[in-house]
Amino acid sequence: MTYETILVNITEGVTTITLNRPGSLNAFNNQMIAETTAAFKEAGQEKGTRCIVITGNGRAFSSGQDLKDVSLRGENFSIGEHLRHGYNRLITQMISVEKPIIAAVNGVAAGAGFGVALAADLRIASEKATFIQAFSRIGLVPDSATTWTLPRLIGYTRAYEISITGDPVTAEQALKWGMVNRVAPAEQFMEIVLAWARRLAEGPTLAYGLTKRAMYRAEGMGLDDALAYEARVQEIAARSDDFREGVAAFLEKRAAHFKGR
Ligand code: LHQ
């Protein structure tokens, strides 16, 4: 599929989706929401893709909803419908892709842009990145799943404070709070991101996908159900070529060559 608001690159098992509206700091208009959702779906189905990176072109990751676009919609514009048909689909698409998604947060991530970063499985921030729950700055409540993702990651107290103040969180603070996995220097940022993504893409990615599924499911389960679900997904992983290869490599004292199946 060809896209106009995003760039998609597939190399060495890694699909990189780059939000590409740098003039507005990669603000999401309807087209970019739809195209990003479609690109995640495609990357999920693409057999050669074993890890997905999402990043932004220029100095920002994403400034969230395109506010110029919203201001042109007039009084009858339903934000609820906009969320249901737009961001909610994008976020659920990201969570249902059974492959690791890395958000490479190259600069500011605000509002729905912050939400997209939080819906990824792993986050690496440039030392120049900031995270802003910008919703309250314009009189809105958090959306794009940030009422769900943010408290899970950093706890309610911090999540609520940054959501009502709209104060920016630096990359350093985000690392201390466990909101990002890593912080990297701006100069070598994409190099470091892609080295990490390639390492993941060479791993037992079927198991990585099942791990994602099981951990999200376990959120809504008690211990007994989580144990039962682990047994189900482990059955699937244990029937894979990767499991056979992993055990053989261990016994033969060599590096494993995983294929993600
Ligand atoms: C923008 C934007 C932007 C358009 C920068 N839109 N042009 C869901 C449902 C429906 C409605 C509402 O929202 C939502 C979810 C949400 O995402 S709500 C949150 C929406 N986002 C924001 O409120 C953030 C707005 N942007 C900012 O506060 C600042 O731009 C940040 C802090 C991100 C960056 O500040 P600076 O580095 O100082 O850059 P800047 O403000 O000078 O922006 C550069 C350009 O980008 C500028 O255009 P211009 O033509 O003057 O150079 C901005 O107008 C444009 N831009 N964000 N969201």
Side-chain angles (χ1 to χ4, degrees), residues 131-195:
F131 299 86
I132 309 176
Q133 275 289 69
F135 308 92
S136 64
R137 291 184 176 187
I138 55 169
L140 289 181
V141 296
D143 62 36
S144 304
T146 59
T147 60
W148 193 79
T149 48
L150 194 58
R152 286 167 80 229
L153 287 169
I154 64 173
Y156 174 76
T157 305
R158 287 167 176 153
Y160 187 68
E161 181 180 343
I162 66 167
S163 295
I164 61 167
T165 61
D167 288 344
V169 177
T170 62
E172 191 190 359
Q173 188 64 67
L175 185 65
K176 281 192 193 134
W177 284 354
M179 207 168 82
V180 301
N181 300 76
R182 293 169 191 201
V183 175
E187 301 76 46
Q188 298 106 42
F189 185 60
M190 278 318 282
E191 225 172 285
I192 293 168
V193 168
L194 291 173

Side-chain angles (χ1 to χ4, degrees), residues 23-25 59 63-68 79 82 112 135 140 143:
S24 59
L25 305 186
R59 69 177 173 94
S63 59
Q65 171 64 40
D66 188 322
L67 296 178
K68 287 177 192 150
I79 289 191
H82 181 60
F135 308 92
L140 289 181
D143 62 36

